Amino acid sequence: MSRRSGILEFAVLGLLREAPMHGYELRKRLNTSLGIFRAFSYGTLYPCLKTLVANGWLIEEPGSAPEDALAASLAGRRAKIVYRLTAEGKEHFEELLSHTGPDTWEDEHFAARFAFFGQTEREVRMRVLEGRRSRLEERLEKMRASLARTRERLDDYTLELQRHGMESVEREVRWLNELIESERAGRDQRQPGPESSAQQNNTSGETDGLPRHRGAEPSGGTPPGHSTPPDPSDDTAK
């Protein structure tokens, strides 16, 4: 299984943990909530869904709306298939959520993991964030060393492009520092002395790791008021 297909399977399981969906709904959520999947197609999604069904992590159910079934019958098409997470699928997703290895620090995998941080244990979030920061600091050091070696041979535009890339990495490192500090502050609030136990009861176990002054939104969201046009390739059973 390729790294990208593994990320897609993780994201599909995570979205279906929230609620059962049919293929078109899944594709729209992957496009709008997780920008890293903006370019993928039904030809990518349906083999993934079939694999998850074969593994016992999803089950296929017919659409529940009678009018949908009637319309599909009149049009000579099969009714939409709804995908539901099984108990084994939920257990598998929770196991994936606990992983903190180097693959979770990479660009695409980190974006997918971060989108489901609300379902992730605090200690796991901390390890993923610290690993991501360490990976970016290594990348930044290499970029600075490369720029120092080649600066005199670069034209102004190439030099500016490299500077832009470095600034982007530096911004993400600062953002990660804020997240990590907020996670640590939230953890400290959950372990107060006896005199502050009343304050502990007012803290949130899942979301108090986020910075209070800014939102941490997954990349690639759709602006308010915009919607994804209907896809002509309906999500009938393949």
Side-chain angles (χ1 to χ4, degrees), residues 6 13 19 26 87 122 126 137 140 151 159 169 178 197:
L13 291 173
L26 270 172
R122 181 185 301 276
M126 281 288 291
E137 287 174 341
L140 192 58
R151 180 188 301 270
L159 184 61
V169 177
E178 292 179 5
S197 59

Side-chain angles (χ1 to χ4, degrees), residues 171-204:
R171 282 195 299 270
E172 186 171 349
V173 170
R174 290 195 296 268
W175 174 66
L176 290 167
N177 285 336
E178 292 179 5
L179 289 171
I180 290 169
E181 288 304 313
S182 295
E183 292 284 353
R184 287 174 177 164
R187 180 176 59 190
D188 292 342
Q189 290 172 6
R190 286 164 60 90
Q191 300 174 348
E195 69 280 0
S196 58
S197 59
Q199 297 179 2
Q200 180 182 12
N201 294 331
N202 295 327
T203 60
S204 168

Side-chain angles (χ1 to χ4, degrees), residues 49-216:
L49 290 171
K50 294 300 182 184
T51 297
L52 295 176
V53 170
N55 288 338
W57 297 330
L58 301 182
I59 57 174
E60 296 177 330
E61 299 177 339
S64 58
E67 60 272 18
D68 290 346
L70 177 60
S73 176
L74 293 174
R77 295 182 288 108
R78 298 179 63 182
K80 291 180 179 179
I81 299 298
V82 173
Y83 295 90
R84 183 185 298 274
L85 195 65
T86 64
E88 293 80 5
K90 181 179 180 181
E91 181 178 350
H92 179 63
F93 178 69
E94 290 173 351
E95 180 183 350
L96 294 176
L97 277 180
S98 68
H99 290 178
T100 59
D103 60 324
T104 66
W105 312 339
E106 301 298 337
D107 295 343
E108 289 188 343
H109 206 149
F110 174 76
R113 286 300 303 268
F114 191 83
F116 296 100
F117 260 23
Q119 304 179 42
T120 306
E121 294 290 335
R122 181 185 301 276
E123 294 304 318
V124 174
R125 294 198 304 257
M126 281 288 291
R127 289 195 292 272
V128 173
L129 290 171
E130 290 173 342
R132 174 65 175 175
R133 180 176 64 179
S134 176
R135 178 59 49 85
L136 290 182
E137 287 174 341
E138 293 174 1
R139 185 183 301 175
L140 192 58
E141 183 178 351
K142 292 178 180 178
M143 294 172 73
R144 287 169 176 163
S146 175
L147 183 60
R149 290 193 306 269
T150 61
R151 180 188 301 270
E152 295 181 356
R153 302 194 299 270
L154 299 177
D155 60 64
D156 291 342
Y157 295 102
T158 304
L159 184 61
E160 191 62 29
L161 183 62
Q162 292 204 10
R163 285 174 176 165
H164 174 69
M166 288 177 55
E167 289 172 358
S168 298
V169 177
E170 289 169 345
R171 282 195 299 270
E172 186 171 349
V173 170
R174 290 195 296 268
W175 174 66
L176 290 167
N177 285 336
E178 292 179 5
L179 289 171
I180 290 169
E181 288 304 313
S182 295
E183 292 284 353
R184 287 174 177 164
R187 180 176 59 190
D188 292 342
Q189 290 172 6
R190 286 164 60 90
Q191 300 174 348
E195 69 280 0
S196 58
S197 59
Q199 297 179 2
Q200 180 182 12
N201 294 331
N202 295 327
T203 60
S204 168
E206 287 297 340
T207 60
D208 58 2
L210 291 176
R212 298 306 185 191
H213 63 281
R214 64 192 298 176

Side-chain angles (χ1 to χ4, degrees), residues 16-76:
L16 290 176
R17 188 186 185 189
E18 300 173 4
M21 301 181 200
H22 55 69
Y24 176 68
E25 290 176 308
L26 270 172
R27 186 185 179 194
K28 186 164 64 172
R29 288 289 306 278
L30 288 165
N31 285 340
T32 58
S33 301
L34 301 173
I36 59 175
F37 297 109
R38 189 177 295 113
F40 89 103
S41 65
Y42 277 101
T44 303
L45 177 58
Y46 277 100
C48 172
L49 290 171
K50 294 300 182 184
T51 297
L52 295 176
V53 170
N55 288 338
W57 297 330
L58 301 182
I59 57 174
E60 296 177 330
E61 299 177 339
S64 58
E67 60 272 18
D68 290 346
L70 177 60
S73 176
L74 293 174

